[in-house]
Amino acid sequence: MPVKCLVNGFGRIGRLCFRYAWDDPELEIVHVNDVCSCESAAYLVQYDSVHGTWSKSVVAAEDSQSFTVDGKLVTFSQEKDFTKIDFASLGVDMVMECTGKFLTVKTLQPYFGMGVKQVVVSAPVKEDGALNVVLGCNHQKLTTDHTLVTNASC
């Protein structure tokens, strides 16, 4: 059974993370949260000025509450305060934190209190409590026991 994921922050990094994760059979992206409109999010994930047009068909719903990728529903919200998102009702196990705003263990801790099991941060968290992974240097340290992980740099 795939891990249900939410992407928080849908700028360039969040969208590329979404595209990459979409084809991973171990992950299922069920929700995106960003301050942009759902229509903009759907358009920008399909058309990237550097990486080109994504091979998937992305269509925003008329109610602006979701979009589909090749017919599969992804719900959408525009919450500046992620603690207002009902992670439990979405069944979210993992958050891909791509806003670049939450860079301390303390500011990321609320995710875990809301039932999220793992948080992957696209920017470095420079303190104890997060594993900063650098592919090719220390990636062998990463285990399923780590709940807060960063890619050490965006």
Side-chain angles (χ1 to χ4, degrees):
M1 181 123 167
V3 175
K4 290 191 176 187
C5 302
L6 178 147
V7 178
N8 189 37
F10 215 51
R12 166 59 63 82
I13 300 296
R15 292 190 307 269
L16 292 178
C17 186
F18 181 97
R19 278 184 173 201
Y20 181 79
W22 188 262
D23 289 324
D24 187 327
E26 294 184 23
L27 303 175
E28 178 186 5
I29 299 176
V30 296
H31 189 85
V32 169
N33 182 59
D34 193 80
V35 295
C36 75
S37 70
C38 183
E39 294 78 12
S40 292
Y43 181 86
L44 291 170
V45 77
Q46 182 155 20
Y47 302 101
D48 186 280
S49 60
V50 173
H51 297 276
T53 301
W54 197 24
S55 62
K56 312 294 184 199
S57 172
V58 184
V59 179
E62 289 184 26
D63 67 0
S64 298
Q65 301 297 307
S66 63
F67 58 88
T68 58
V69 177
D70 285 348
K72 183 168 177 4
L73 183 71
V74 177
T75 55
F76 185 85
S77 60
Q78 293 177 285
E79 281 294 341
K80 287 182 182 178
D81 179 358
F82 72 81
T83 64
K84 293 182 179 178
I85 299 169
D86 187 355
F87 292 93
S89 72
L90 295 167
V92 173
D93 296 311
M94 178 193 296
V95 170
M96 298 171 191
E97 173 51 59
C98 300
T99 64
K101 293 181 180 180
F102 306 104
L103 303 176
T104 66
V105 172
K106 183 178 179 181
T107 59
L108 294 160
Q109 198 59 43
Y111 281 122
F112 300 106
M114 300 170 70
V116 173
K117 296 177 182 124
Q118 294 178 306
V119 178
V120 178
V121 186
S122 66
V125 176
K126 300 176 183 177
E127 60 185 28
D128 289 338
L131 176 64
N132 286 286
V133 177
V134 178
L135 193 59
C137 283
N138 71 340
H139 65 276
Q140 69 280 0
K141 290 183 179 182
L142 182 62
T143 69
T144 55
D145 293 334
H146 291 100
T147 58
L148 181 56
V149 178
T150 82
N151 195 33
S153 175
C154 14

